[in-house]
Amino acid sequence: MVTLEEIARLSGASRSTISRVVNNDPHVSDKTRMRVLEVVRRLNYQPNAIARSLAAGRTHVLGVIIPKRVTELFSDPYFPILLQGVSTACNSFDYAVTLWLADPEDELRFMSKVLHNGLLDGVIVSSMVLTDPLITALGASTLPFVLVGRHPSVPVVNYVDVDNISSAQTAVEHLFQLGRRRIATITGMSDTIAGVDRLRGYEIALREHGLPVLPEFIVDGGFSEEGGVAAMRQLLPLHPDAVFVASDTMAVGALRVLREAGLRIPQDIAIVGFDDTPAAARTEPPLTTMKQPIIALGELAVEALLHIIEHPDSGPRRIILPTQLIVRESCGAHLG
Amino acid sequence: MVTLEEIARLSGASRSTISRVVNNDPHVSDKTRMRVLEVVRRLNYQPNAIARSLAAGRTHVLGVIIPKRVTELFSDPYFPILLQGVSTACNSFDYAVTLWLADPEDELRFMSKVLHNGLLDGVIVSSMVLTDPLITALGASTLPFVLVGRHPSVPVVNYVDVDNISSAQTAVEHLFQLGRRRIATITGMSDTIAGVDRLRGYEIALREHGLPVLPEFIVDGGFSEEGGVAAMRQLLPLHPDAVFVASDTMAVGALRVLREAGLRIPQDIAIVGFDDTPAAARTEPPLTTMKQPIIALGELAVEALLHIIEHPDSGPRRIILPTQLIVRESCGAHLG
DNA sequence: AATGAAATTGGGAGCGCTCCCGATATGATG
DNA sequence: CATCATATCGGGAGCGCTCCCAATTTCATT
């Protein structure tokens, strides 16, 4: 292994000077800088990340925590895409990402280790679950963290999110404008903030137009494709003329049920999803949906976290990204 | 932050003794061990991972490298599932996982940093691409690594994989046994080992039964759903009575084309996929496919890597996991 | 009680770096 | 040329731990 000391010896400068050159400190004459860089390049010197971390008190490593329970239904590409955003941003800022797929069982055992062993400069958590003990533990620790998805249980936290309420509202509004009046909804898990908020947006939209909020028109699909299937079956006998489905994954299941039932989409029943996952463009018919900027969410989470690490005292950061209604064929807008 | 020194002071033992207790060294009397552990627990002491790494020369961090080009079509859940296996195994061995979604552009810049900055004890690479410069760079470095998916370009390496050739053979054989004689194939990218091997298995199976290998029956689908669509369209006019599709993702696309063309599956045309991704069970009709043990692949990759790290001189490790034919409805076996 | 072996403990050195402070070189100014 | 400010450089201390070796204690045995 090539060390600072060795470069110093070979280039005739001191350890400190080498460190300065490597870290782009301006207090080095051009002449010595050149001389040092030549040796650095020749030996392909890479500063030892561990030694650097120990001395500097900063590791340049961020953690991403994703509850395994969620990832086990990895049919939902939300997390991989989020990870991609996080990873891209970290690369560009010269940070490493460590991934922790948290198992609810060993959470307690690991949690305090992960939070206190000093390997991470900060963490990004995509928990969603309202009662997650992880969040409270995190709040009690001194480790900087940002949530992807807002969270009501911790008073002051940093998060990036989309406005699920108004996005859901937009989706339902769209159905209303197309003349639908018997609008049902398939919701996500009620112990997730996204699930709760999207339902709320649905309710608000109905109320705004003086439409009744019927309990039988609200069915839990648990954010899974199978859940979407079951929920749609339950809704079928009630003859809704539109369904706002709180995730594309569930919508895929719902569409299948409708096709099997011989209903024409969107003529007999219109569907709007949420997320704009890659699958949404390929359903039959293609799915109208609310597009979440998932990659951007991941990238901004990193930026926010780094900002907090640099400036611990600058107030909480809360970033809300806009969603976008992607109109395809399942809602009937193209029928004119 | 609580340090060893502090525990030493409070428990009246020396730094060395605390270290022994924390690391379960037997050379400590029960009495002092108890005394020390009491203080350790009281202060919730966590050994500093960075200091430990620097002193011990081992970081207990593994890297997972996945080329971003592949993950960008994250519709294929192969990588997320693999990641899950890797993560699970790492957790159980008390290792951390750092994720590197390698961008072909910055590969050169990052590569040498990642490989030489001493943060990783070893890496797991899921490259697939035959000409990946990453693999050669890795071969030239001293960092222990294992590949997920065998790779012909580096002579002696460690890998875990399934036998793609004989798996493909099994799949095609199955179609033959069901009486199909005009068997086509949609292949993966020809610059990936899995793509090449599965095609080879197809050819071998045909030859074994004296069936001709027709070039027009072999169409590249590039491992993507869109590719599967295009390939199936190309195949349609040739009236095959069966298609072996080298990935479930492509098979999903192929099935859609067949349905749109009004063909009955499996009566008019039988389909067998590869991977057994979650989507395979939900296609119409459900897809017969070769199941890859993806989670196990990830777990075994970790175990192999840790073994190599512990025993650098024990020869190369090559692990081949069995696949399994999952018979559903798309192949026609249930028709009797 | 003396002896020696084994068990237990403590302290020093060092992992490769950063950061601070003081030393030296350089150059501007009167 | 003297003086002082400024740019550049070097060395020491220390980050929190592990690992080795030597010191000390314990205990079985004669």
Side-chain angles (χ1 to χ4, degrees):
Chain A
M1 165 180 275
V2 191
T3 69
L4 257 198
E5 212 86 38
E6 198 170 339
I7 304 289
R9 204 167 43 71
L10 291 175
S11 65
S14 74
R15 194 166 24 87
S16 304
T17 301
I18 314 299
S19 174
R20 287 190 190 99
V21 170
V22 168
N23 294 295
N24 286 315
D25 185 312
H27 299 283
V28 182
S29 72
D30 284 353
K31 189 154 54 86
T32 38
R33 181 183 303 277
M34 288 308 153
R35 190 156 41 93
V36 169
L37 280 179
E38 196 275 323
V39 181
V40 164
R41 269 193 285 266
R42 185 154 52 82
L43 301 202
N44 188 26
Y45 166 70
Q46 291 293 340
N48 182 293
I50 298 295
R52 182 177 261 190
S53 299
L54 183 60
R58 287 271 298 274
T59 63
H60 272 230
V61 177
L62 301 184
V64 176
I65 305 183
I66 296 176
K68 194 185 265 163
R69 167 156 88 91
V70 180
T71 61
E72 256 157 18
L73 352 144
F74 239 143
S75 51
D76 196 326
Y78 179 89
F79 290 99
I81 296 175
L82 183 68
L83 224 37
Q84 211 181 307
V86 169
S87 170
T88 303
C90 280
N91 280 357
S92 77
F93 292 117
D94 248 308
Y95 270 71
V97 193
T98 89
L99 181 63
W100 182 31
L101 266 33
D103 212 334
E105 277 100 68
D106 50 36
E107 245 176 52
L108 290 171
R109 172 165 134 39
F110 271 123
M111 189 143 25
S112 106
K113 174 183 298 184
V114 172
L115 302 187
H116 297 297
N117 74 356
L119 179 60
L120 305 177
D121 281 348
V123 294
I124 292 170
V125 184
S126 178
S127 162
M128 302 176 65
V129 180
L130 286 174
T131 57
D132 200 326
L134 181 63
I135 308 282
T136 27
L138 224 30
S141 84
T142 59
L143 197 66
F145 69 103
V146 348
L147 303 181
V148 178
R150 79 187 180 85
H151 208 277
S153 76
V154 185
V156 173
V157 288
N158 311 284
Y159 61 78
V160 295
D161 203 355
V162 298
D163 185 340
N164 283 296
I165 298 180
S166 78
S167 301
Q169 223 176 314
T170 303
V172 174
E173 174 77 23
H174 180 66
L175 289 169
F176 182 87
Q177 295 302 340
L178 293 169
R180 310 289 167 157
R181 291 298 178 271
R182 299 179 52 79
I183 306 175
T185 186
I186 296 178
T187 71
M189 292 171 282
S190 59
D191 65 342
T192 69
I193 189 78
V196 172
D197 280 359
R198 290 174 198 174
L199 171 57
R200 229 172 106 57
Y202 161 83
E203 293 170 346
I204 293 174
L206 291 193
R207 290 221 182 80
E208 267 188 0
H209 292 288
L211 257 37
V213 175
L214 307 171
E216 63 271 28
F217 264 12
I218 301 173
V219 182
D220 191 336
F223 278 136
S224 76
E225 187 170 331
E226 285 75 11
V229 168
M232 196 64 238
R233 291 225 169 93
Q234 190 177 333
L235 242 23
L236 225 37
L238 307 177
H239 301 295
D241 61 5
V243 185
F244 164 58
V245 188
S247 84
D248 287 355
T249 305
M250 294 192 290
V252 167
L255 285 175
R256 199 163 67 233
V257 170
L258 295 176
R259 274 199 312 273
E260 280 167 11
L263 290 174
R264 293 170 307 157
I265 309 161
Q267 292 85 345
D268 300 327
I269 183 166
I271 301 287
V272 175
F274 205 110
D275 284 346
D276 195 33
T277 57
R282 297 191 292 249
T283 54
E284 298 171 42
L287 187 65
T288 291
T289 189
M290 295 302 302
K291 179 193 182 97
Q292 283 207 69
I294 307 179
I295 295 251
L297 240 27
E299 290 176 343
L300 283 172
V302 170
E303 285 177 30
L305 183 53
L306 293 183
H307 182 94
I308 296 161
I309 292 171
E310 309 283 357
H311 312 96
D313 304 315
S314 68
R317 293 178 83 74
R318 298 167 184 191
I319 302 172
I320 298 293
L321 260 39
T323 55
Q324 191 187 346
L325 178 69
I326 305 289
V327 177
R328 297 203 181 88
E329 294 164 31
S330 69
C331 61
H334 68 293
L335 298 178
Chain B
M1 165 181 275
V2 191
T3 70
L4 258 199
E5 212 87 37
E6 198 170 340
I7 304 289
R9 202 166 45 71
L10 291 175
S11 66
S14 74
R15 194 165 24 88
S16 304
T17 301
I18 314 299
S19 174
R20 288 190 189 96
V21 170
V22 168
N23 293 296
N24 286 315
D25 184 313
H27 299 283
V28 182
S29 71
D30 284 354
K31 191 153 53 81
T32 36
R33 182 184 303 277
M34 289 307 153
R35 191 156 40 92
V36 170
L37 279 179
E38 196 275 323
V39 180
V40 165
R41 270 191 286 265
R42 185 153 52 81
L43 301 203
N44 187 28
Y45 167 69
Q46 292 292 340
N48 182 292
I50 298 294
R52 183 177 261 189
S53 299
L54 182 59
R58 288 271 298 274
T59 63
H60 271 230
V61 176
L62 302 183
V64 176
I65 305 184
I66 296 176
K68 193 185 266 164
R69 168 157 86 92
V70 180
T71 61
E72 256 158 19
L73 351 146
F74 238 140
S75 52
D76 196 325
Y78 179 89
F79 289 99
I81 296 175
L82 183 69
L83 224 38
Q84 212 181 306
V86 169
S87 169
T88 304
C90 280
N91 280 357
S92 77
F93 291 116
D94 248 308
Y95 270 71
V97 194
T98 88
L99 181 64
W100 182 32
L101 265 34
D103 212 335
E105 277 100 67
D106 50 36
E107 244 175 52
L108 290 170
R109 173 167 133 40
F110 270 123
M111 189 143 25
S112 105
K113 174 182 298 183
V114 172
L115 302 187
H116 297 296
N117 74 357
L119 179 60
L120 305 177
D121 281 347
V123 294
I124 292 170
V125 184
S126 178
S127 163
M128 303 177 64
V129 180
L130 288 173
T131 57
D132 200 327
L134 181 62
I135 307 284
T136 27
L138 223 30
S141 85
T142 59
L143 196 66
F145 69 102
V146 347
L147 303 182
V148 178
R150 82 186 179 85
H151 208 277
S153 75
V154 186
V156 173
V157 289
N158 311 284
Y159 61 78
V160 295
D161 204 354
V162 298
D163 186 340
N164 283 296
I165 297 181
S166 78
S167 301
Q169 225 176 313
T170 304
V172 174
E173 174 76 26
H174 180 66
L175 289 169
F176 182 86
Q177 294 302 340
L178 293 170
R180 310 288 169 157
R181 292 298 178 270
R182 299 179 52 78
I183 307 176
T185 186
I186 297 177
T187 71
M189 292 171 281
S190 59
D191 65 343
T192 69
I193 189 79
V196 171
D197 282 357
R198 290 174 197 173
L199 171 56
R200 229 172 104 56
Y202 161 83
E203 294 170 345
I204 292 174
L206 291 193
R207 291 224 180 78
E208 265 189 2
H209 292 289
L211 258 38
V213 175
L214 307 172
E216 63 270 29
F217 264 13
I218 300 173
V219 182
D220 190 336
F223 278 136
S224 76
E225 187 171 331
E226 285 74 12
V229 167
M232 195 64 239
R233 290 227 171 92
Q234 189 176 333
L235 243 23
L236 224 38
L238 307 177
H239 301 295
D241 62 5
V243 184
F244 164 59
V245 188
S247 84
D248 287 355
T249 305
M250 293 191 292
V252 167
L255 285 176
R256 198 163 69 233
V257 170
L258 295 176
R259 274 199 313 274
E260 280 167 10
L263 290 174
R264 291 170 309 156
I265 309 161
Q267 292 86 343
D268 300 328
I269 183 164
I271 301 288
V272 175
F274 205 110
D275 285 343
D276 195 33
T277 57
R282 297 191 292 249
T283 54
E284 298 171 41
L287 187 64
T288 291
T289 189
M290 294 304 301
K291 179 192 180 97
Q292 284 207 67
I294 307 179
I295 295 252
L297 239 28
E299 290 176 344
L300 283 172
V302 171
E303 284 178 30
L305 182 53
L306 292 183
H307 182 92
I308 296 161
I309 292 171
E310 309 283 357
H311 313 96
D313 304 316
S314 69
R317 293 177 83 74
R318 297 166 187 192
I319 302 172
I320 299 292
L321 260 38
T323 55
Q324 191 188 347
L325 178 68
I326 304 289
V327 178
R328 297 202 180 88
E329 293 164 32
S330 69
C331 62
H334 68 294
L335 298 177

